[in-house]
Amino acid sequence: MSLFVFSQFFIVIVLCQAEHETCGVFPKDPIIKMGSEIQIMFSSPQDSFCRSVPFYSPHKLIWKLNDKKIAEDFYIVNSTMSAVTIRSSGMVTCHMHLGERDVILGGTNITVLLPPVKPTKIHCKLFALTKFTCYWNSGNNTVPGTEYTVYGRFESRSRIITESCMSKTDHCTFKNPICDTVNITVKAQNAVGSVESDIVRIDINNVLKLLPPEVTVKPLLNKLQVHWKMQHVPAYPESHIICELLYQYENISESKRAKLGGAEIVMERLCVNYTVSMRCAPETSKYWSDWSPNVTVFSPLDVKAVKIYLWRKIDTPDGRGFRRVLLMWKGVLPSCNIDGYNVTVRNLHNEDSRELWFNILDSNTSLVLDGKMYRISIAVSKNNNTSPEVFITIPAIGEDRPPVKELQAFPEHSQLYVTWAPPQLPVDHYMVEWSTGDDVIEWHESQSTSTSLIGQPFKLYRITVSPVCDTWPGQEATLLAYFKEGAPGNISVKVTDIQDRRAHVSWTSVPRSQCCGFVRNYTVFYKSETGPEFGVTVNSSVEEVFLEDLDPSKNYKVHVMASSAGGTTNSTLNVITTQRYGTTFLKMLGVLGGFGLILVITVCLCCVVLMNKYFTNVPSPKFSTLALWLNEPLQDKMQHNTSTPSAESYFHNLEIHPYGFDSMIMEISPSPLETLAGQNEEPHPVFEHMKVGVVAPVRASAVPSLFVGPSQTCGHSAESDDGRTAGSTPASQEPRDCNSTIPCWGNLLGKNGYVGEEALLPPSKEMQPFLEPPKNTPQAYVTLDLLGQSANG
């Protein structure tokens, strides 16, 4: 159904468009003033083809602005038309829905304009008395299509002429004006309005702009001669015209004022191209003419008028007093084709001198001089002609004159200005040298106490100023300066000596080659994983910081920031972990552990001693291997002594020492007296003394073979006083040496019979442990000091 209706609608339009009145949107492409409104309507007369369309009605029309539907509050609808109110620019279209399709019935484009802006800043120029052009400011909000009309009222002594000119730009030109004064008015007009400027009165003499002059240049020795002439201006005599002369050579540009006629330019550099141009203006006018075409000439060389600039740079003397001197000069350019430079070095101490020759391409040389005073001169030679010599003095070591004072540098107007105060001594001129860290040293001569350098940003300049009086330079004054500072260079950071509550942070100073500004301070930032960030700021001379009051066993992020006037630079991030315990705690723990170990060892040793004393089984002395150490004099005395010896006669001291037991144990058989007396007899005093004073009771029969004297043999029997034999050796036993390890028996104590005949007996059960003592078992032997006792008795 909708397709059928849509097709019928277009058929009706095609068939009826020629026979009926036209339906459409009106007005077409209107222009309105900004802030105003306009009504756009769709007209459909009774006999128009729109009325023939099925379902057409003005109430069904839809209005859109830039494809966006306009609210129906702005619609105006009656039986014959539909309109809408618009207040902005754009494309307005009228639509109607036929079924599911949107059909555009018509449209129009609305333009919103501002009223023209009042022209201001009107000024005019009179070009060479031929054309008069006026300029004005049309404003920033001027829309395209604005037209300007300039009205000029030209007044002279004889007549008044009114003229106008049209323009769509910001200037307009009148031709052949002849007047003394002129009144100018500018009118601006567009589709939504018009406006006129104020009246401006202009004096022709103040706005006259002349044509550029014609210039000629003639080179002479050490100067250029310049001539020029102007186009004839009847109203202005040449005496009322001023000119400006501009000349350039290498990278230097200078200018000077001059009157019409001629001028001279003194050439500062020889063998270079000079470029000359001029401009002129009447004294009463504020407009200069354009610059004349450039005229280029080559400056010739006069050897006798050549001026050479000579300078030196002296290094610190070495241990032998020799100095390296860098000699530099500024002579003539290679284009001058000179023969070369003649350098003379004269020792003022002994008048010795030497001459050096350099070609035209050389500009410096290095000399090694001792600590004496020298004078160096240089001259230019060409075609057997020589320029005047230029001298410089190398003072002796320790004879330098005072330096300049208050040397400082600061950037201003794209240049680096250097100023200083003169020293107390008189000065002829100053030598200023500068470098940017490389081997190239630039320098020039200054007659005042200030100079300016063309600075480069982020470059560190080393500037030196030396006063010079009568070829004698003073001491150097040096400073470091930046034309423009930037952020410092990279920083290398190390974190060491990390403890539980502190850490040591160190960094390397920013190298001069990487530094773009003077470092003012360093800030060390550190932050734990959970805590806030802290910072410690130190001046530029400090390169280490101890971080205090850290938390044990925590991770910290540490970095260092360097600050300058031009910015900041941060180092890489360092992550550290503090220790759980500090070194002091570990040291104290080690000391206490050492004391504890010593205490444990001491207690263990005490326990072992006490156990050996109170709990170890001590063997009975009666089972020990005993030896009676008797020398022959004492033995003889004992044999002649008929009285019964006391115990102290034989045993003065009884000592027990560790000793290995003999492999066999001997028993001493009872003496005949003991056998006769029976078991109830008192024991011998000797053994009684052993019982009471030293050890447990020892049986008299248990005397080991060690008691046998070293000089006694087993085959010899001791003789009594009356010659009777106190005892004899059994017939079955062979005599043997008493030093043998086999037990031997003898009559040890003589005639009193304390010890009788001995016999070998098998070891008893009680003696068995002493024969084969176990390993590491404490053992003892008994020593009886009989010699000392016998001496006393």
Side-chain angles (χ1 to χ4, degrees):
M1 180 65 183
S2 60
L3 181 60
F4 175 75
V5 173
F6 184 73
S7 61
Q8 281 190 341
F9 176 77
F10 277 98
I11 292 174
V12 170
I13 291 177
V14 173
L15 295 177
C16 299
Q17 188 172 6
E19 300 177 3
H20 299 277
E21 296 184 12
T22 304
C23 299
V25 177
F26 302 95
K28 289 293 185 180
D29 301 330
I31 299 176
I32 63 175
K33 183 179 179 179
M34 181 173 287
S36 62
E37 61 182 25
I38 188 174
Q39 285 188 353
I40 304 298
M41 58 185 174
F42 183 79
S43 177
S44 58
Q46 292 292 335
D47 57 348
S48 64
F49 71 90
C50 298
R51 296 286 183 174
S52 304
V53 176
F55 311 110
Y56 170 79
S57 173
H59 297 276
K60 295 182 179 180
L61 298 181
I62 299 173
W63 293 94
K64 292 184 179 181
L65 176 62
N66 299 328
D67 292 332
K68 292 184 179 180
K69 183 179 179 180
I70 302 173
E72 295 182 359
D73 296 341
F74 297 95
Y75 290 4
I76 301 173
V77 182
N78 57 29
S79 60
T80 61
M81 59 164 261
S82 175
V84 63
T85 303
I86 303 297
R87 294 183 178 180
S88 59
S89 62
M91 177 62 71
V92 179
T93 54
C94 181
H95 299 252
M96 179 177 176
H97 286 296
L98 292 178
E100 296 180 355
R101 305 184 70 86
D102 186 5
V103 179
I104 299 176
L105 301 180
T108 185
N109 186 31
I110 301 175
T111 303
V112 177
L113 295 179
L114 288 171
V117 179
K118 180 180 178 180
T120 58
K121 299 180 179 180
I122 300 174
H123 60 283
C124 302
K125 294 180 182 180
L126 178 59
F127 291 93
L129 300 178
T130 57
K131 57 182 181 180
F132 185 78
T133 303
C134 294
Y135 305 86
W136 60 88
N137 184 6
S138 59
N140 296 328
N141 296 325
T142 301
V143 296
T146 301
E147 295 182 352
Y148 297 93
T149 303
V150 182
Y151 300 96
R153 180 183 172 89
F154 298 91
E155 300 178 0
S156 64
R157 296 178 182 178
S158 58
R159 59 179 179 171
I160 298 175
I161 300 176
T162 301
E163 294 183 4
S164 63
C165 66
M166 305 291 293
S167 175
K168 293 184 178 181
T169 61
D170 59 352
H171 61 277
C172 190
T173 300
F174 297 91
K175 295 183 178 181
N176 299 321
I178 300 176
C179 63
D180 297 327
T181 59
V182 61
N183 295 332
I184 298 297
T185 303
V186 180
K187 179 181 179 181
Q189 185 176 4
N190 62 13
V192 295
S194 63
V195 63
E196 289 187 357
S197 69
D198 298 332
I199 298 176
V200 178
R201 187 175 181 84
I202 298 174
D203 187 351
I204 292 296
N205 293 326
N206 295 334
V207 296
L208 176 59
K209 182 176 180 179
L210 302 176
L211 294 176
E214 297 179 2
V215 181
T216 59
V217 180
K218 182 179 180 180
L220 301 175
L221 292 177
N222 300 324
K223 63 182 179 181
L224 299 176
Q225 195 173 52
V226 183
H227 294 275
W228 65 93
K229 62 180 181 178
M230 296 293 301
Q231 182 183 7
H232 178 65
V233 181
Y236 295 94
E238 292 184 356
S239 60
H240 292 173
I241 296 177
I242 58 175
C243 297
E244 182 179 8
L245 178 63
L246 176 66
Y247 59 95
Q248 301 175 344
Y249 61 96
E250 294 180 334
N251 294 324
I252 301 174
S253 177
E254 297 184 9
S255 64
K256 59 184 301 184
R257 292 289 183 95
K259 290 289 185 176
L260 277 177
E264 291 183 350
I265 300 174
V266 178
M267 293 180 293
E268 299 291 336
R269 299 298 300 271
L270 302 177
C271 307
V272 297
N273 289 325
Y274 275 77
T275 301
V276 181
S277 62
M278 293 189 68
R279 64 180 182 176
C280 300
E283 292 180 344
T284 58
S285 179
K286 59 182 179 181
Y287 297 114
W288 287 95
S289 68
D290 295 333
W291 288 101
S292 66
N294 292 330
V295 178
T296 302
V297 295
F298 184 78
S299 61
L301 173 66
D302 182 7
V303 176
K304 295 183 179 180
V306 170
K307 183 179 180 180
I308 304 176
Y309 296 91
L310 181 63
W311 187 235
R312 90 291 176 272
K313 190 170 185 63
I314 305 175
D315 290 346
T316 304
D318 59 13
R320 301 176 300 168
F322 288 93
R323 301 168 291 175
R324 178 182 176 269
V325 177
L326 178 62
L327 192 66
M328 302 173 286
W329 60 86
K330 293 180 180 179
V332 296
L333 297 178
S335 57
C336 293
N337 296 321
I338 63 173
D339 296 335
Y341 298 98
N342 186 21
V343 176
T344 303
V345 181
R346 183 180 300 275
N347 188 332
L348 299 182
H349 179 71
N350 53 18
E351 296 301 327
D352 290 340
S353 64
R354 56 173 174 164
E355 292 187 359
L356 305 174
W357 183 261
F358 299 94
N359 61 42
I360 192 173
L361 299 177
D362 295 327
S363 61
N364 61 76
T365 185
S366 181
L367 306 174
V368 178
L369 305 178
D370 56 18
K372 302 298 188 301
M373 181 183 296
Y374 285 83
R375 174 164 290 186
I376 302 175
S377 64
I378 187 171
V380 176
S381 298
K382 182 177 181 180
N383 299 331
N384 297 324
N385 294 322
T386 304
S387 68
E389 288 185 316
V390 178
F391 296 91
I392 191 170
T393 302
I394 308 298
I397 296 177
E399 296 184 1
D400 291 332
R401 295 186 177 184
V404 300
K405 299 179 291 186
E406 301 176 8
L407 179 61
Q408 58 181 341
F410 54 90
E412 185 176 350
H413 303 303
S414 301
Q415 289 184 328
L416 186 63
Y417 281 84
V418 184
T419 62
W420 60 88
Q424 296 178 353
L425 298 177
V427 176
D428 293 337
H429 60 270
Y430 300 92
M431 297 300 294
V432 182
E433 58 181 275
W434 67 95
S435 63
T436 58
D438 49 15
D439 295 333
V440 179
I441 300 176
E442 300 184 50
W443 54 279
H444 69 251
E445 181 181 306
S446 176
Q447 299 294 332
S448 63
T449 57
S450 64
T451 187
S452 61
L453 311 175
I454 299 177
Q456 299 181 15
F458 315 134
K459 287 284 189 178
L460 178 64
Y461 285 85
R462 183 182 180 88
I463 305 171
T464 301
V465 179
S466 303
V468 181
C469 180
D470 192 19
T471 73
W472 191 309
Q475 297 180 26
E476 298 179 346
T478 304
L479 62 77
L480 301 176
Y482 282 95
F483 169 68
K484 182 179 179 181
E485 291 192 54
N490 296 328
I491 312 168
S492 178
V493 179
K494 293 182 180 180
V495 184
T496 57
D497 192 18
I498 304 173
Q499 302 182 17
D500 57 336
R501 303 193 66 85
R502 66 179 303 184
H504 178 246
V505 182
S506 61
W507 58 90
T508 56
S509 59
V510 178
R512 290 292 186 187
S513 59
Q514 301 179 6
C515 185
C516 301
F518 294 110
V519 177
R520 295 183 174 181
N521 54 63
Y522 295 98
T523 303
V524 182
F525 293 98
Y526 60 101
K527 181 183 181 301
S528 63
E529 295 177 346
T530 57
E533 187 175 45
F534 298 95
V536 179
T537 301
V538 295
N539 58 43
S540 59
S541 62
V542 179
E543 296 182 359
E544 62 176 359
V545 163
F546 283 94
L547 304 181
E548 304 287 349
D549 299 329
L550 303 179
D551 295 331
S553 187
K554 276 196 174 182
N555 293 330
Y556 281 87
K557 296 179 179 179
V558 182
H559 74 277
V560 179
M561 180 182 71
S563 302
S564 68
T568 59
T569 300
N570 291 289
S571 68
T572 56
L573 198 64
N574 290 263
V575 180
I576 63 173
T577 302
T578 56
Q579 298 180 0
R580 182 179 297 274
Y581 303 105
T583 56
T584 304
F585 174 80
L586 296 177
K587 290 180 180 178
M588 292 298 298
L589 184 63
V591 171
L592 294 178
F595 278 115
L597 182 60
I598 293 173
L599 181 60
V600 170
I601 294 174
T602 304
V603 171
C604 292
L605 290 177
C606 293
C607 292
V608 170
V609 172
L610 293 176
M611 290 179 64
N612 289 337
K613 183 175 181 180
Y614 296 103
F615 299 100
T616 303
N617 294 326
V618 180
S620 177
K622 67 180 180 179
F623 303 118
S624 300
T625 303
L626 302 179
L628 182 60
W629 299 94
L630 301 177
N631 53 21
E632 293 181 358
L634 178 61
Q635 200 174 36
D636 294 339
K637 183 178 178 181
M638 291 173 64
Q639 292 175 355
H640 292 84
N641 191 358
T642 54
S643 61
T644 303
S646 62
E648 294 179 356
S649 301
Y650 299 98
F651 301 94
H652 176 66
N653 290 318
L654 181 62
E655 299 177 0
I656 301 177
H657 303 282
Y659 194 81
F661 290 104
D662 295 336
S663 60
M664 300 183 66
I665 301 298
M666 298 174 293
E667 290 225 12
I668 302 175
S669 59
S671 62
L673 294 176
E674 187 178 358
T675 305
L676 297 175
Q679 298 297 329
N680 293 328
E681 293 292 332
E682 292 292 330
H684 194 276
V686 172
F687 300 104
E688 184 64 27
H689 174 76
M690 293 175 58
K691 174 182 178 182
V692 175
V694 183
V695 295
V698 181
R699 288 175 14 193
S701 59
V703 181
S705 63
L706 195 59
F707 277 86
V708 181
S711 61
Q712 185 175 347
T713 59
C714 295
H716 173 75
S717 62
E719 296 291 339
S720 62
D721 292 342
D722 53 353
R724 289 186 305 108
T725 301
S728 60
T729 301
S732 61
Q733 193 165 4
E734 297 289 336
R736 65 179 67 217
D737 186 2
C738 292
N739 292 329
S740 175
T741 56
I742 302 176
C744 60
W745 306 94
N747 199 353
L748 296 177
L749 300 182
K751 63 181 180 178
N752 292 326
Y754 295 117
V755 181
E757 296 289 338
E758 292 119 46
L760 286 174
L761 297 177
S764 62
K765 186 176 183 181
E766 185 181 3
M767 296 169 56
Q768 189 64 33
F770 291 90
L771 299 180
E772 299 177 0
K775 295 182 179 180
N776 300 327
T777 302
Q779 303 176 11
Y781 69 89
V782 178
T783 301
L784 302 180
D785 188 0
L786 302 181
L787 300 179
Q789 182 66 27
S790 62
N792 294 330

